Amino acid sequence: MVVVGAGLAGLACARHLQAAGVEVVVREASDTVGGRVRTDEVDGMLLDRGFQVHNTGYPEAQRVLDHHELDLRPFAPGALVRFGDRLHRVGDPRRVPTWAPTTLLAPIGSLKDKVLIARLATQAGLHSPDALLSRPEMTTYEALRSRGLSDTAIDRFFRPFLSGVFLEDQLGTSSRFFDLVWRSFVRGSQCVPAAGMGAIPAQLASGLDVRLGAPVTSVRPQEVDGEPARAVVVATSACSAAALLPGLDVPAPSGVTTQYHLADEPPVAEPAVVLDGERSGPVANTVVLTNAAPSYAPGRHLVSSSVVSGDTSEPAVRQHLSRLYGVDTTRWEHVATYAVPEALPRQDPPMGRFRKAVRLEPGLYVCGDHRDSASIQGALVSGRRAAQAVLAELRA
């Protein structure tokens, strides 16, 4: 059988099928595996295609990935929020006790807001995904307001923080997706593999029959480009899947532009994401990657910055970075810019329980994070679901 696309969903699907004794060929149009999750090597540096992180709290990742082998390098469980004339440390006091005083004093909202944020974290960590998915669905903004958060806390913390996660800054994303994401933040660590995010699909691809530079132009049930196949799984991006499968309902994409710079000195010491509580420029988030993972640029200081909306030009980003870090960035070296127009499928309500059908008709299947939650977790789960559907049909 044939899996079309060697992104995370396609590779996960192929691994499940191969483990069940099914012969699988994975056809990939590009020159490497990973889809949107890939890493370029440039002048001794590792540059991910857009700022991405892995979360050790993803249940499916815990099942299918070898986290020890990935040599994961964690970020701080919190953020540095620029407000006024300095950066304020904001984090989970249970995980970074030394940040408790600064979190309490940070100008991101009232004491009541901070108590409510702590309650959000506690509830998210304790509740099961099923319990979270049973809550009434609305936008994330509506959910935060309904749970008592003030607009001050939302605008100074949640909006800048979540814009880099959702790739939209209006908080129009489904509250159910927010609840699942918040749960993963509470229960896991945000990290990157020492060898770059591309190490994740490389691990999944190990031992599989993956044909690179092998684009597919047409699919039908049990047929790929006019050649017979026992079954076909389309595991491309949402837009490519819609092109191969006319009539397939896919969500609109959200895009992001990520720029990499080399700084002469690390502008902050912490391996933490930096946010703008005043939203004074285009940068949604920025981080000194080498504070967490020195292997990304050995002996240098690599800064990754992402723009979700607004001016994506390098001068505008550089100027905003000067404001965010409080340092002169004129001597920073611009390394690369990645514009990723289809970075994530939008997750606007209603999303229900997220899981869309993976079996289209006998012999034809589809998977990807557009069939589940828009995340590494969702991609891996959709791959497993497609494999299970294929196996059920083959056994029948």
Side-chain angles (χ1 to χ4, degrees), residues 5 24 28-30 33 66-67 71 86 98 105 135 144 162 193 199 208 214 258 284 319 324 350 356 393:
V24 188
E28 169 57 46
S30 72
V33 299
D66 184 338
H67 281 164
D71 191 10
R86 64 190 182 93
T98 56
L105 297 173
R135 289 178 169 179
L144 292 174
L162 293 173
L208 296 177
T258 297
Q319 182 179 6
L324 284 171
K356 299 179 177 67
E393 182 172 307

Side-chain angles (χ1 to χ4, degrees), residues 58-359:
Y58 289 146
E60 193 70 11
Q62 295 172 2
R63 286 189 281 267
V64 302
L65 297 176
D66 184 338
H67 281 164
H68 178 74
E69 181 181 297
L70 289 173
D71 191 10
L72 298 171
R73 305 304 174 94
F75 293 96
L80 301 174
V81 182
R82 167 63 67 175
F83 195 86
D85 61 354
R86 64 190 182 93
L87 288 166
H88 302 268
R89 293 180 177 89
V90 178
D92 186 343
R94 298 169 303 174
R95 302 177 68 178
V96 276
T98 56
W99 284 23
T102 58
T103 300
L104 187 63
L105 297 173
I108 61 166
S110 66
L111 178 60
K112 175 185 175 183
D113 284 318
K114 292 164 187 173
V115 170
L116 289 173
I117 292 172
R119 182 185 297 174
L120 275 178
T122 301
Q123 291 177 342
L126 293 176
H127 286 98
S128 68
D130 283 340
L132 296 175
L133 290 171
S134 68
R135 289 178 169 179
E137 187 178 15
M138 58 193 77
T139 68
T140 296
Y141 173 76
E142 291 168 339
L144 292 174
R145 289 293 286 140
S146 71
R147 296 170 194 177
L149 275 299
S150 70
D151 276 325
T152 298
I154 292 171
D155 289 338
R156 294 184 185 180
F157 177 70
F158 283 100
R159 198 180 300 276
F161 177 71
L162 293 173
S163 66
V165 179
F166 297 160
L167 303 187
E168 58 93 3
D169 57 8
Q170 300 304 305
L171 300 186
T173 296
S174 168
S175 59
R176 292 184 176 178
F177 186 55
F178 163 73
D179 285 334
L180 293 176
V181 167
W182 200 248
R183 180 180 188 271
S184 72
F185 285 149
V186 172
R187 296 173 68 91
S189 297
Q190 311 305 304
C191 50
V192 290
M197 288 294 289
I200 294 175
Q203 185 182 100
L204 289 172
S206 178
L208 296 177
D209 184 358
V210 180
R211 315 282 175 88
L212 299 176
V216 169
T217 58
S218 68
V219 296
R220 297 179 62 189
Q222 299 183 321
E223 186 180 294
V224 176
D225 286 343
E227 297 293 326
R230 196 175 179 190
V232 182
V233 179
V234 175
T236 62
S237 69
C239 292
S240 296
L244 285 171
L245 302 166
L248 182 69
D249 183 25
V250 298
S254 291
V256 65
T257 298
T258 297
Q259 295 190 10
Y260 289 96
H261 291 86
L262 283 175
D264 44 3
E265 295 291 338
V268 294
E270 296 92 343
V273 169
V274 176
L275 309 173
D276 188 350
E278 298 173 318
R279 302 172 68 207
S280 61
V283 175
N285 61 44
T286 179
V287 65
V288 184
L289 274 172
T290 42
N291 284 353
S295 53
Y296 267 66
R300 293 177 281 185
H301 313 293
L302 183 64
V303 180
S304 171
S305 311
S306 295
V307 178
V308 172
S309 62
D311 190 348
T312 61
S313 67
E314 197 276 336
V317 170
R318 183 187 294 265
Q319 182 179 6
H320 195 196
L321 291 176
S322 180
R323 161 67 182 154
L324 284 171
Y325 286 110
V327 300
D328 182 4
T329 60
T330 56
R331 296 177 58 187
W332 287 16
E333 177 187 346
H334 175 236
V335 176
T337 296
Y338 289 96
V340 188
E342 298 178 32
L344 281 179
R346 288 187 63 90
Q347 304 277 270
D348 300 331
M351 293 301 300
R353 298 185 70 83
F354 291 96
R355 297 191 171 180
K356 299 179 177 67
V358 292
R359 182 179 184 271

